[in-house]
Structure formats: C-alpha cells, structure tokens
Amino acid sequence: MSLNNTPSSERIHIAFFGRRNAGKSSVVNAVTGQNLAVVSDVKGTTTDPVYKAMELLPLGAVMIVDTAGIDDEGDLGAMRVEKTLAVLAKTDIAVLVVDGTVGKTAEDEALISEFQKRKIPYITAYNKADLFDAGTLSSIHEIHVSAKTGEGIHALKELIAKQVRPDAPTKPLISDLISAGDVIVLVIPIDESAPKGRLILPQQQVIRAALECGAMPVCCRDTEVAQTLQKLAQPPKMVITDSQAFGRVSKLVPDSIPLTSFSILFARYKGDLETVVRGAAALDSLKNGDKILISEGCTHHRQCNDIGTVKLPHWVQAHAGCELKFHWTSGTEFPRDLSGYALVIHCGACMLPPKEVQFRQAIATEQGVPMTNYGTAIAHCHGILRRSLELFPDCAKYFQ
C-alpha cells in the first residue's frame, strides 16, 4: 500500500495544541512545508481541527492535526475547545506549542497533565525563538523553534519521530492466524448497502494482510459460499464473512471450518476483543425500555436497509424479546457520558485509529457500561458467537 493510499486510520496522528496566537498553525506549516493552516494575528483563526494526510520523514504516512486554541472564550469558544480536546482521543504524538515570549501558562500545564493522564508522548515547542533569549531547557522533550525563521524546525521533526518506538508492539490483523500457502475464503455480500465499484476498508485490509503472509484469499458473495467450498481441493484454513451475512453463512460452512467475521478481527486489531465479547453478554439481560447506543466511526449515506439503523436494531430487539430505545451517533460524535445506556454497540471502527477505539472502550469501562461491536453482537444474536470465537480461545471462555 503506497503512502498516498494509506487510510487515515492507519496513519500516525500528530496533533498540535496550545493557546491562541502561540503560533500553532505557523509551526504546523513550517513542519509540513505547506500552507496547511490559515495563519493570522487575529486570535482564534483556527476554529476547527484541520487534518492533513501526508508523508513526514522518517515516520512515513502520518496525519497532521492543527487544533483551535485551548484558551478560546465565550460559548462558541467553549465548543471549539471541546473539539480540540476530542482530538486527544486519536492523538499518537502531541506537540504543545508555547509562546516562548510568554512561557507556559495554566492552560499549557493543564494540557500537559492531560497528555500524561492519557499516556500520550508529547513535545513542548517554545515558538518565536527569534524574539527571546533561549535559556536552558529542562527536558529532552522540549525545544526552541521559530516558525518565522525556521530555527529548530528540522530538529523538531526529528524529535517527533523519536516519540514512536520502532519496537512498539502492534496487534496483528490476521497474520498470526494464517501461514504461507493457506487458503482463506472471504465472504463479501454485494447488495444495496455495498459501495458501488469498490470494497470496504476491512475487506481491503484483510486481503492485503493475507497476501503479505503468502496466503491465498478467495473472495465470493454470500450467495456463492456453498459452490466456492465445493470447488476447493481441500477445506480452507478459515472463512471470514461480513457481519450482516453471519446467519446465512454459518449454515453453509461446516463446523470443522473456523468461521469469524471482519468485524471481530477488527475488534481485536483496533481495541480489546475481550471487552467486546464480554459486552455482547449484556444482550442477554436487556430489559424493556433500556437505551442502546449504536455508534459508527464514520458518516455515510444511509441505505433503505442500513445495517446500523435497520438490521442491527431488529436483530437485537428480537434477541432481547422486549421493546428497546435506540440512539445513534456517527463520526467524531461519541458521548463522554454513557451512564444512561444499558449497552453500547460500536461499528467495526475501520475508519478510526486504534487510539480512539481504545479511548471509547475506556470510557465505557470506567462508567461500567457494556460495549460490544456489530459483528460480535450479530453473531451472538444468531447464536453463533461461540463458534466465531474458536480462533480466540481466551475470549471464547466467556461463552462456554
């Protein structure tokens, strides 16, 4: 996958924070070598987070994020600050831009505390070095820069790169489940909800991951599962299906062949599969009038038989056997207060970075609200969750 084609969810998110007029946008432009952000002497020029996918050597594919000032004022300013703080959920590396002529303020210190609380690697860049006498820095994670003259910008980029440990553990998507020469069958429905002329991101990424392992992915629609299995010389290593076809596919795939879904794979890849599986158990104890939050990580045009707003609520209500109240959120809108919900059902989160998925799961865990995802919930509603977890015995124990 080329750098230009790397999805935003797979990029390292580098976010720039600070007070108004500290020079965040100017530093962003200097680091990227582009006029990415609008620069002005007027306080509050940056009103919403600005995202730019690009290549930043030596890191490679990254997402640069410029944010509104943390000290914005008024009702509108409070909304801007809220959006700035929401960016923290997806931040892999934070750069705090401080006006070096003023020094750190209470707002800057509060941001640092938030970085530390969330365990986000961060750098403090004292901007406007051309206007003050640079003294001794107290930490190797601090640096003097001047967006105006370019002083320290190259060193800042190198310091940013050092925040990413090359040996940092990453969760596999499928590479630990297959070997070179294995045949896997991917079931991809082509219906009214399928995007025209392309595959959705989870399907693309699983195919790519399989090819990188030397495995051989065979793709078919849910209407051709039986014929596909019959034409293979030997049973495949596993079958991976789109969640909404789980019920039909499970009846066609022999029990001797492991079966799971793209959504379950992504639950493990992006967040914590155990949390998602334990959350699915809450489907068995829902009561009349319970509120269910269905949350999607992206925004898209709803089809007439949309999975999130039509199919999933129908399956969940039929499983619970009672009347439930459903609420929906999408994109970056995810409530920080989940106390009114009996259950959160999240999408597969293919468009969200792992950092944000884990943050959302942490919110639910801290508030004692069960959280699962589409594929896991659908599998449980169809009575096949235990089977779909055979590849993950540590999680399957919750449904023994």
Side-chain angles (χ1 to χ4, degrees), residues 267-286:
R268 184 181 73 136
Y269 180 53
K270 293 293 184 77
D272 181 59
L273 180 57
E274 183 175 314
T275 296
V276 169
V277 171
R278 284 191 280 108
L283 290 163
D284 298 334
S285 56
L286 294 175

Side-chain angles (χ1 to χ4, degrees), residues 31 34 36 59 69 74 120 127 140 143 173 314 325 331 336:
V31 167
Q34 302 178 21
L36 168 63
L59 289 179
I120 300 173
N127 190 30
I140 60 172
I143 189 171
L173 178 55
H314 171 75
K325 297 178 180 178
R336 298 300 182 259

